[in-house]
Amino acid sequence: SYPRVYGRPGQDGTAASKALVIDSVNRKLMVAGHRCAVGSVTIVGPKQGAPDETVEEVFSIVNTTDGNGRPIATVDVSTGSTVAHTWTGATASAQDKDWYVKWEGTASGLSPAATDVVTDLLRHLVGVPIDWPSVESMRAYLQGYTLDGVIDTTTGAEAVLMQQILPLLPVRLVRGVSGLGMVPVRWGATAQDARCALVAGDQCWPTSRVRYASESGYRVVNQWSVRWAMSRRSDGPRRTTSVGPSRSGDASASLQIHGLRAEVLETAWVYTAATAGRIALDRIRETATDRQIVDVEVSAATYGIGGVREITVGDVVTYTDPEESLSSAVALVSSVTRRGSETDSVGLVLL
């Protein structure tokens, strides 16, 4: 499939995407299957006169169309001096070699802003209604999350979104009246953020005792290492950013209780230390604490879809239950099951 490039993957000097030979006569490579912001990229490929060796050279991107009129971005290596630019004689095999792109120059692909990446992928979901206002409303919340990457396999948009993108972001996708929407996950929320107040016995009935998440198999993690700057030449990340007890108060407190518990997150969508650090810190906020959880049933007429106080995953609420000695405890809605009856099932995580 044509490569779909977001931002500047490899801006740190990593060979982050592949370039495809599309014209062996004129020695042209396709670097993206869409228009790009024109500028320079670094091409990594076979050496002129010695195609078994690898060298790199800077070229300018040209936006054009393929034989079917589809927009593409290309590089003309026939103008080069270091990489193979005459694919005849000793360099005839150059067109069969692997060519890569480092987006470390001034050219860039589609917008790498997290909201734009999610939006682009959602537009490729067939037959799924989307709550676009809710997606757009996350723009300010996700400011600073820059996802530089490339899709150049037949992996579907839904799989990329669910398996590669959403695990990097403090948001969740939820289904509502207007379709599939996006909501924030705010581990640092306070009572001022609460959408509504749930009170045991008042259209809200606990179906479990308050317990620690670890009792249900939850694993506390207080050190996250994000491995990033994925190289297409080596098929592995070149850099690591870690956040743990030395950089986080939550992680430090967790260390005293649970000892060091470390995990690794590997991603092909990050090429800046700032984004890697942001993701690692988000993971710490989510996993360093063994929070209390409780399950409740709520009135569907009040809290269900279309209800006057409709709640959904990601909402912040307060929860009061005198029998559990809880008074207006701030909680995050972790799950909602619409039962199609008079009540819905809701999972709460106490913050």
Side-chain angles (χ1 to χ4, degrees):
S1 63
Y2 282 11
R4 197 163 185 81
V5 178
Y6 300 84
R8 297 168 53 227
Q11 60 191 266
D12 66 320
T14 300
S17 66
K18 283 194 170 184
L20 307 178
V21 175
I22 59 169
D23 187 340
S24 59
V25 175
N26 296 303
R27 285 87 74 197
K28 290 185 178 180
L29 309 175
M30 177 172 64
V31 297
H34 50 80
R35 293 180 62 85
C36 290
V38 294
S40 61
V41 295
T42 300
I43 295 296
V44 181
K47 182 180 180 180
Q48 174 69 16
D52 290 333
E53 298 180 34
T54 300
V55 293
E56 56 186 62
E57 189 171 350
V58 175
F59 292 90
S60 294
I61 279 182
V62 175
N63 286 316
T64 183
T65 56
D66 66 9
N68 296 315
R70 178 173 174 176
I72 59 175
T74 64
V75 163
D76 181 358
V77 297
S78 70
T79 62
S81 59
T82 305
V83 301
H85 53 273
T86 57
W87 296 355
T88 59
T91 320
S93 63
Q95 60 187 300
D96 300 319
K97 300 293 185 179
D98 289 328
W99 295 79
Y100 302 94
V101 188
K102 296 181 179 181
W103 296 79
E104 60 182 351
T106 55
S108 62
L110 304 170
S111 170
T115 303
D116 290 330
V117 175
V118 171
T119 296
D120 188 58
L121 292 170
L122 287 173
R123 292 190 187 282
H124 286 79
L125 300 186
V126 179
V128 179
I130 307 297
D131 180 1
W132 293 115
S134 80
V135 176
E136 183 60 28
S137 71
M138 291 297 100
R139 187 170 297 278
Y141 180 69
L142 292 177
Q143 185 175 5
Y145 290 84
T146 302
L147 302 180
D148 303 279
V150 58
I151 302 173
D152 58 3
T153 67
T154 56
T155 305
E158 182 178 7
V160 172
L161 182 62
M162 301 303 294
Q163 298 171 17
Q164 300 179 30
I165 300 301
L166 290 181
L168 306 177
L169 303 174
V171 296
R172 298 290 185 271
L173 287 181
V174 297
R175 294 188 182 275
V177 175
S178 301
L180 192 63
M182 194 156 61
V183 298
V185 178
R186 295 172 287 185
W187 295 106
T190 66
Q192 285 71 30
D193 300 309
R195 179 181 177 86
C196 60
L198 298 179
V199 179
D202 181 10
Q203 302 186 79
C204 172
W205 305 274
T207 58
S208 76
R209 62 183 179 84
V210 174
R211 63 201 186 278
Y212 285 98
S214 59
E215 297 178 50
S216 299
Y218 181 80
R219 172 175 164 76
V220 170
V221 178
N222 48 41
Q223 178 169 295
W224 277 100
S225 296
V226 177
R227 301 182 65 197
W228 54 283
M230 191 70 68
S231 170
R232 294 302 298 271
R233 292 188 65 191
S234 65
D235 291 323
R238 299 174 63 240
R239 306 181 190 278
T240 300
T241 296
S242 298
V243 173
S246 65
R247 294 181 57 187
S248 162
D250 290 340
S252 179
S254 176
L255 176 69
Q256 303 305 312
I257 300 172
H258 305 285
L260 184 64
R261 297 188 178 183
E263 291 284 353
V264 174
L265 172 65
E266 191 171 288
T267 176
W269 286 88
V270 175
Y271 287 88
T272 66
T275 298
R278 190 182 297 267
I279 292 169
L281 186 57
D282 283 340
R283 283 299 181 98
I284 288 294
R285 292 189 182 112
E286 178 179 355
T287 66
T289 303
D290 187 10
R291 293 183 173 85
Q292 291 181 305
I293 59 176
V294 64
D295 302 311
V296 300
E297 296 281 320
V298 298
S299 166
T302 300
Y303 298 106
I305 294 178
V308 293
R309 292 195 291 274
E310 178 182 341
I311 58 176
T312 190
V313 171
D315 279 347
V316 178
V317 301
T318 60
Y319 179 63
T320 296
D321 185 349
E323 292 190 8
E324 294 280 5
S325 299
L326 294 175
S327 177
S328 298
V330 181
L332 197 65
V333 177
S334 59
S335 66
V336 177
T337 302
R338 307 296 185 189
R339 302 167 62 90
S341 62
E342 293 183 354
T343 61
D344 292 336
S345 298
V346 175
L348 301 176
V349 178
L350 304 184
L351 303 179

Short mmCIF file of all heavy atoms in Angstrom, two decimals, residues 54-82:
data_model
loop_
_atom_site.label_atom_id
_atom_site.label_comp_id
_atom_site.label_asym_id
_atom_site.label_seq_id
_atom_site.Cartn_x
_atom_site.Cartn_y
_atom_site.Cartn_z
N THR A 54 25.75 1.32 1.83
CA THR A 54 24.65 2.25 2.08
C THR A 54 25.19 3.62 2.44
O THR A 54 26.09 3.76 3.27
CB THR A 54 23.75 1.74 3.23
OG1 THR A 54 23.22 0.46 2.87
CG2 THR A 54 22.60 2.69 3.48
N VAL A 55 24.61 4.64 1.80
CA VAL A 55 24.98 6.02 2.07
C VAL A 55 23.70 6.84 2.19
O VAL A 55 22.59 6.32 2.02
CB VAL A 55 25.88 6.61 0.95
CG1 VAL A 55 27.22 5.91 0.93
CG2 VAL A 55 25.19 6.48 -0.39
N GLU A 56 23.83 8.12 2.48
CA GLU A 56 22.65 8.98 2.56
C GLU A 56 22.93 10.34 1.94
O GLU A 56 24.07 10.78 1.87
CB GLU A 56 22.18 9.13 4.01
CG GLU A 56 23.22 9.66 4.98
CD GLU A 56 22.72 9.63 6.40
OE1 GLU A 56 22.42 8.53 6.92
OE2 GLU A 56 22.61 10.73 7.01
N GLU A 57 21.84 10.97 1.48
CA GLU A 57 21.97 12.25 0.79
C GLU A 57 20.64 13.01 0.91
O GLU A 57 19.56 12.40 0.97
CB GLU A 57 22.31 12.01 -0.69
CG GLU A 57 22.69 13.26 -1.46
CD GLU A 57 23.22 12.93 -2.84
OE1 GLU A 57 23.49 11.74 -3.13
OE2 GLU A 57 23.37 13.88 -3.64
N VAL A 58 20.73 14.32 0.94
CA VAL A 58 19.55 15.17 1.10
C VAL A 58 18.94 15.50 -0.26
O VAL A 58 19.65 15.87 -1.20
CB VAL A 58 19.90 16.46 1.85
CG1 VAL A 58 18.69 17.40 1.92
CG2 VAL A 58 20.41 16.15 3.26
N PHE A 59 17.62 15.36 -0.36
CA PHE A 59 16.88 15.68 -1.58
C PHE A 59 15.65 16.50 -1.22
O PHE A 59 15.19 16.51 -0.08
CB PHE A 59 16.42 14.41 -2.31
CG PHE A 59 17.55 13.61 -2.90
CD1 PHE A 59 18.17 12.61 -2.16
CD2 PHE A 59 17.98 13.83 -4.20
CE1 PHE A 59 19.20 11.86 -2.69
CE2 PHE A 59 19.01 13.09 -4.74
CZ PHE A 59 19.63 12.10 -3.99
N SER A 60 15.10 17.16 -2.24
CA SER A 60 13.85 17.89 -2.07
C SER A 60 12.68 17.04 -2.53
O SER A 60 12.78 16.27 -3.49
CB SER A 60 13.87 19.20 -2.89
OG SER A 60 14.84 20.09 -2.39
N ILE A 61 11.56 17.19 -1.82
CA ILE A 61 10.34 16.47 -2.17
C ILE A 61 9.59 17.23 -3.27
O ILE A 61 9.54 18.46 -3.28
CB ILE A 61 9.44 16.31 -0.92
CG1 ILE A 61 9.93 15.13 -0.08
CG2 ILE A 61 7.98 16.13 -1.30
CD1 ILE A 61 9.08 14.88 1.13
N VAL A 62 8.98 16.46 -4.18
CA VAL A 62 8.13 17.04 -5.22
C VAL A 62 6.75 16.40 -5.12
O VAL A 62 6.63 15.16 -5.12
CB VAL A 62 8.72 16.80 -6.63
CG1 VAL A 62 7.75 17.29 -7.70
CG2 VAL A 62 10.07 17.48 -6.76
N ASN A 63 5.71 17.21 -5.00
CA ASN A 63 4.34 16.70 -5.02
C ASN A 63 3.89 16.54 -6.47
O ASN A 63 4.03 17.44 -7.29
CB ASN A 63 3.40 17.67 -4.30
CG ASN A 63 3.57 17.62 -2.79
OD1 ASN A 63 3.69 16.56 -2.20
ND2 ASN A 63 3.60 18.80 -2.16
N THR A 64 3.34 15.37 -6.76
CA THR A 64 2.88 15.08 -8.12
C THR A 64 1.72 14.09 -8.03
O THR A 64 1.09 13.99 -6.97
CB THR A 64 4.05 14.50 -8.96
OG1 THR A 64 3.60 14.30 -10.30
CG2 THR A 64 4.58 13.21 -8.39
N THR A 65 1.41 13.39 -9.11
CA THR A 65 0.36 12.38 -9.10
C THR A 65 0.88 11.11 -9.77
O THR A 65 1.82 11.15 -10.57
CB THR A 65 -0.90 12.85 -9.86
OG1 THR A 65 -0.51 13.22 -11.20
CG2 THR A 65 -1.52 14.04 -9.16
N ASP A 66 0.27 9.97 -9.41
CA ASP A 66 0.64 8.73 -10.07
C ASP A 66 -0.14 8.59 -11.37
O ASP A 66 -0.86 9.50 -11.79
CB ASP A 66 0.43 7.53 -9.14
CG ASP A 66 -1.05 7.29 -8.80
OD1 ASP A 66 -1.92 7.95 -9.42
OD2 ASP A 66 -1.33 6.45 -7.93
N GLY A 67 -0.02 7.42 -12.01
CA GLY A 67 -0.68 7.21 -13.29
C GLY A 67 -2.18 7.26 -13.23
O GLY A 67 -2.85 7.44 -14.27
N ASN A 68 -2.75 7.13 -12.03
CA ASN A 68 -4.21 7.18 -11.86
C ASN A 68 -4.68 8.53 -11.34
O ASN A 68 -5.85 8.68 -10.98
CB ASN A 68 -4.66 6.07 -10.92
CG ASN A 68 -4.39 4.68 -11.48
OD1 ASN A 68 -4.65 4.42 -12.66
ND2 ASN A 68 -3.84 3.80 -10.65
N GLY A 69 -3.77 9.48 -11.29
CA GLY A 69 -4.15 10.80 -10.81
C GLY A 69 -4.16 10.95 -9.31
O GLY A 69 -4.63 11.96 -8.78
N ARG A 70 -3.65 9.97 -8.61
CA ARG A 70 -3.64 10.01 -7.14
C ARG A 70 -2.45 10.83 -6.65
O ARG A 70 -1.32 10.64 -7.12
CB ARG A 70 -3.55 8.59 -6.59
CG ARG A 70 -3.48 8.50 -5.07
CD ARG A 70 -3.56 7.05 -4.64
NE ARG A 70 -3.36 6.92 -3.21
CZ ARG A 70 -3.45 5.77 -2.55
NH1 ARG A 70 -3.74 4.66 -3.22
NH2 ARG A 70 -3.25 5.72 -1.25
N PRO A 71 -2.65 11.76 -5.71
CA PRO A 71 -1.53 12.57 -5.21
C PRO A 71 -0.47 11.73 -4.52
O PRO A 71 -0.80 10.83 -3.72
CB PRO A 71 -2.20 13.53 -4.22
CG PRO A 71 -3.65 13.52 -4.59
CD PRO A 71 -3.93 12.15 -5.10
N ILE A 72 0.77 12.00 -4.81
CA ILE A 72 1.89 11.34 -4.15
C ILE A 72 3.01 12.35 -3.96
O ILE A 72 3.02 13.41 -4.58
CB ILE A 72 2.41 10.12 -4.95
CG1 ILE A 72 2.87 10.56 -6.35
CG2 ILE A 72 1.37 9.02 -5.02
CD1 ILE A 72 3.52 9.44 -7.15
N ALA A 73 3.96 12.03 -3.11
CA ALA A 73 5.15 12.84 -2.91
C ALA A 73 6.36 12.01 -3.32
O ALA A 73 6.49 10.84 -2.92
CB ALA A 73 5.28 13.28 -1.45
N THR A 74 7.24 12.60 -4.12
CA THR A 74 8.36 11.84 -4.69
C THR A 74 9.69 12.54 -4.46
O THR A 74 9.75 13.72 -4.12
CB THR A 74 8.17 11.63 -6.20
OG1 THR A 74 8.20 12.91 -6.86
CG2 THR A 74 6.84 10.95 -6.50
N VAL A 75 10.76 11.77 -4.71
CA VAL A 75 12.12 12.29 -4.71
C VAL A 75 12.80 11.80 -5.97
O VAL A 75 12.67 10.62 -6.33
CB VAL A 75 12.90 11.83 -3.46
CG1 VAL A 75 14.39 12.01 -3.65
CG2 VAL A 75 12.43 12.59 -2.23
N ASP A 76 13.51 12.68 -6.65
CA ASP A 76 14.24 12.34 -7.88
C ASP A 76 15.71 12.16 -7.53
O ASP A 76 16.44 13.13 -7.37
CB ASP A 76 14.06 13.47 -8.90
CG ASP A 76 14.77 13.19 -10.22
OD1 ASP A 76 15.44 12.14 -10.33
OD2 ASP A 76 14.65 14.03 -11.13
N VAL A 77 16.15 10.88 -7.42
CA VAL A 77 17.54 10.64 -7.02
C VAL A 77 18.50 10.71 -8.21
O VAL A 77 19.72 10.60 -8.02
CB VAL A 77 17.70 9.28 -6.30
CG1 VAL A 77 16.90 9.26 -5.01
CG2 VAL A 77 17.31 8.12 -7.20
N SER A 78 17.97 10.93 -9.42
CA SER A 78 18.86 11.07 -10.57
C SER A 78 19.72 12.32 -10.47
O SER A 78 20.74 12.45 -11.15
CB SER A 78 18.05 11.09 -11.87
OG SER A 78 17.32 12.30 -11.99
N THR A 79 19.31 13.25 -9.60
CA THR A 79 20.09 14.48 -9.41
C THR A 79 21.13 14.34 -8.32
O THR A 79 21.83 15.31 -8.00
CB THR A 79 19.15 15.64 -9.04
OG1 THR A 79 18.50 15.34 -7.79
CG2 THR A 79 18.08 15.84 -10.11
N GLY A 80 21.24 13.15 -7.74
CA GLY A 80 22.15 12.95 -6.62
C GLY A 80 23.60 12.80 -7.03
O GLY A 80 23.93 12.74 -8.21
N SER A 81 24.45 12.70 -6.02
CA SER A 81 25.88 12.51 -6.27
C SER A 81 26.45 11.36 -5.45
O SER A 81 27.40 10.70 -5.90
CB SER A 81 26.65 13.80 -5.93
OG SER A 81 26.45 14.17 -4.58
N THR A 82 25.86 11.10 -4.29
CA THR A 82 26.38 10.05 -3.40
C THR A 82 25.59 8.76 -3.52
O THR A 82 26.16 7.68 -3.70
CB THR A 82 26.37 10.54 -1.94
OG1 THR A 82 27.10 11.76 -1.84
CG2 THR A 82 27.02 9.50 -1.03
#
